[in-house]
Amino acid sequence: MRKVIAAFNMTLDGVCDHTTGIPSEDLHQHYADLLDHTGVILYGRTTYELMQFWKSVLQNPSGKKSIDDFAISIDKVPKLVFSTTLKDTNWKSAELSNRPLIEKVLELKHESGNDIAVGSRSLIVQLLNNNLIDELQICVHPIIEGKGLKLFDQITKRIFLKLIKTKTLSSGSTVFYYEPSQEEQPQK
């Protein structure tokens, strides 16, 4: 069965606005490596539209290897977009989902192939609330933003996690790899 991997950036105080992180060569390489081993990435409309920036990098490379490599990786991976307002994805490696998120993810998990990545906050929250995330890869940037959209503010129940590994990037950002735990942690 394929794993569903939620991968996202946030500040130390949980803000996940795309402008608040610290871009670095190894951050781009981290996400390029993830995409190179992903069978499909799921996006909501807002994040998908932001990610279309990378199409322009493909047409006009930046000259920075990590950025250009990430553009190649994101172009290659199939993208499935969940939107009721988009009529066309305007990207040949992307398509609109013809089914609701939960139904489609359950179908995808039972297909063969590489893992399923989730790159939109709204989808991550919905999938966590439905126990459909197998792994969280949360990159925490060493910033306290103080305001902005919080990654986990719409979680409906307590979710216990088991830390499986960490990776520190040159910027000081740290990627935390977690699996949801079936066991409640002891109360203190």
Side-chain angles (χ1 to χ4, degrees):
M1 186 177 289
R2 298 162 89 179
K3 285 192 336 186
V4 177
I5 300 171
F8 220 73
N9 294 295
M10 70 180 201
T11 62
L12 189 61
D13 58 342
V15 175
C16 63
D17 182 297
H18 74 283
T19 63
T20 61
I22 303 170
S24 64
E25 282 188 32
D26 51 356
L27 179 70
H28 286 113
Q29 189 60 52
H30 167 76
Y31 284 114
D33 291 344
L34 174 65
L35 292 175
D36 289 343
H37 296 94
T38 296
V40 62
I41 187 163
L42 312 180
Y43 286 121
R45 181 195 53 82
T46 302
T47 305
Y48 175 72
E49 288 177 339
L50 290 170
M51 298 310 284
Q52 288 190 349
F53 162 80
W54 295 101
K55 287 180 12 180
S56 65
V57 175
L58 281 171
Q59 295 162 352
N60 298 300
S62 71
K64 294 184 178 179
K65 182 174 175 14
S66 65
I67 291 173
D68 296 341
D69 286 351
F70 180 80
I72 292 166
S73 295
I74 197 160
D75 184 55
K76 286 189 303 190
V77 69
K79 290 162 276 303
L80 189 57
V81 183
F82 293 85
S83 172
T84 57
T85 56
L86 280 181
K87 302 298 178 216
D88 187 354
T89 63
N90 296 314
W91 199 339
K92 68 179 176 184
S93 59
E95 66 180 85
L96 294 168
S97 178
N98 58 359
R99 302 191 40 215
L101 176 67
I102 304 306
E103 198 175 299
K104 188 65 177 178
V105 168
L106 287 169
E107 175 187 309
L108 290 169
K109 280 180 71 93
H110 288 91
E111 292 177 357
S112 62
N114 288 341
D115 291 333
I116 303 157
V118 186
S120 288
R121 174 200 170 271
S122 63
L123 303 185
I124 290 169
V125 168
Q126 290 176 65
L127 293 171
L128 278 168
N129 284 334
N130 284 277
N131 301 317
L132 289 172
I133 297 289
D134 300 301
E135 181 179 305
L136 286 159
Q137 291 186 18
I138 304 299
C139 182
V140 178
H141 296 261
I143 300 169
I144 297 173
E145 188 65 24
K147 62 185 177 329
L149 184 65
K150 303 283 186 177
L151 180 55
F152 297 119
D153 71 343
Q154 294 182 0
I155 296 298
T156 58
K157 62 182 182 276
R158 181 181 279 184
I159 300 170
F160 293 98
L161 304 170
K162 177 184 175 190
L163 181 65
I164 52 177
K165 72 177 181 176
T166 62
K167 176 165 98 178
T168 302
L169 305 178
S170 62
S171 64
S173 299
T174 302
V175 183
F176 293 89
Y177 297 75
Y178 291 102
E179 291 177 343
S181 173
Q182 302 304 315
E183 298 177 19
E184 283 197 26
Q185 302 301 315
Q187 298 293 323
K188 292 185 178 187

